[in-house]
Amino acid sequence: PWDLFAGCIDQQIMSGRGRVSDATLVCRENAWKVHGLVAPEVSLADFAASLPLADEMMVVQGLTRHKHADIAESDGVQMIVHFELLREGSQMVHSVQLWGLDGVAPITASFLSYLLSEFRGVANVAAGGARGFGNIAFDSYAPGSDAPPLPGPELYLATVEARRAEMTDWLMAKCDAPAAPQKPAKGRRGARATTESLAEETPL
């Protein structure tokens, strides 16, 4: 997970191997972008003409948020809420990339494979999931041009099982580590006061 996402640890910023794109709606406006992935055997003009416009694929739904005036000391307010949604059956194209100047470790690729399989099992995106919004379905991710296919999740899962205790101890040690001292406040007066306070608390 760290190699894929990275972040900041021990005051060092590290970059991850993962690159995640936005999902692109398959519509007439985006025909130029998704043509090669969705229908490369069809000319771009014919493909674009077969697609609906983006605004034709949108629908607005509304609901009323109740005040609950029957509940004592309720501070809620009643309002009408609108949601802008994609119509059911809309198609989107999405991609992820593994990238690194020094290559990508097989276990990192295996972890991404595990994430994608878990995501496919949940298959829910965006907000409003409690109301049934955002349910999607998708096939397995296909390798891009000249890209090797991802390995299965087995390597990652086996590594986690074999090093479970070691990883748990490392994480718990990080949780128990003392907090880093706060940065001095901006301004001469604030900086001097903070420095003096640290000097009093820090034994020499």
Side-chain angles (χ1 to χ4, degrees):
W2 185 263
D3 197 34
L4 182 65
F5 297 118
C8 182
I9 188 170
D10 292 337
Q11 300 183 5
Q12 295 187 33
I13 299 176
M14 306 174 190
S15 62
R17 312 285 183 174
R19 303 290 186 272
V20 183
S21 73
D22 291 331
T24 301
L25 181 65
V26 180
C27 59
R28 193 174 304 173
E29 291 89 336
N30 292 332
W32 63 273
K33 186 175 181 180
V34 301
H35 170 245
L37 296 173
V38 178
E41 70 284 354
V42 180
S43 70
L44 176 57
D46 291 341
F47 175 65
S50 69
L51 298 176
L53 296 170
D55 60 357
E56 296 174 351
M57 303 174 71
M58 306 298 295
V59 62
V60 175
Q61 293 188 9
L63 60 84
T64 301
R65 179 178 177 181
H66 294 285
K67 182 181 179 181
H68 300 295
D70 54 325
I71 301 177
E73 300 181 1
S74 174
D75 295 330
V77 294
Q78 182 165 319
M79 65 180 72
I80 297 176
V81 183
H82 292 106
F83 298 90
E84 193 175 58
L85 309 170
L86 287 175
R87 293 185 181 276
E88 293 183 352
S90 298
Q91 185 180 12
M92 306 188 81
V93 171
H94 184 250
S95 66
V96 293
Q97 180 185 25
L98 287 173
W99 178 88
L101 290 176
D102 54 348
V104 177
I107 190 172
T108 304
S110 178
F111 172 64
L112 177 58
S113 180
Y114 167 76
L115 281 186
L116 294 177
S117 64
E118 289 292 301
F119 176 42
R120 189 177 182 185
V122 176
N124 187 275
V125 297
R131 298 186 178 94
F133 299 154
N135 295 324
I136 62 172
F138 58 92
D139 297 328
S140 298
Y141 278 67
S145 177
D146 299 326
L150 288 175
E154 295 79 16
L155 173 60
Y156 166 71
L157 294 175
T159 303
V160 169
E161 190 61 34
R163 305 183 64 178
R164 180 185 300 272
E166 178 185 351
M167 290 186 290
T168 301
D169 291 343
W170 183 84
L171 289 171
M172 295 306 297
K174 291 296 178 184
C175 292
D176 296 336
Q182 296 182 352
K183 293 183 178 180
K186 295 182 178 179
R188 294 184 60 187
R189 180 176 301 175
R192 181 170 60 253
T194 305
T195 303
E196 291 171 354
S197 176
L198 290 175
E200 293 173 359
E201 298 175 1
T202 305
L204 298 177

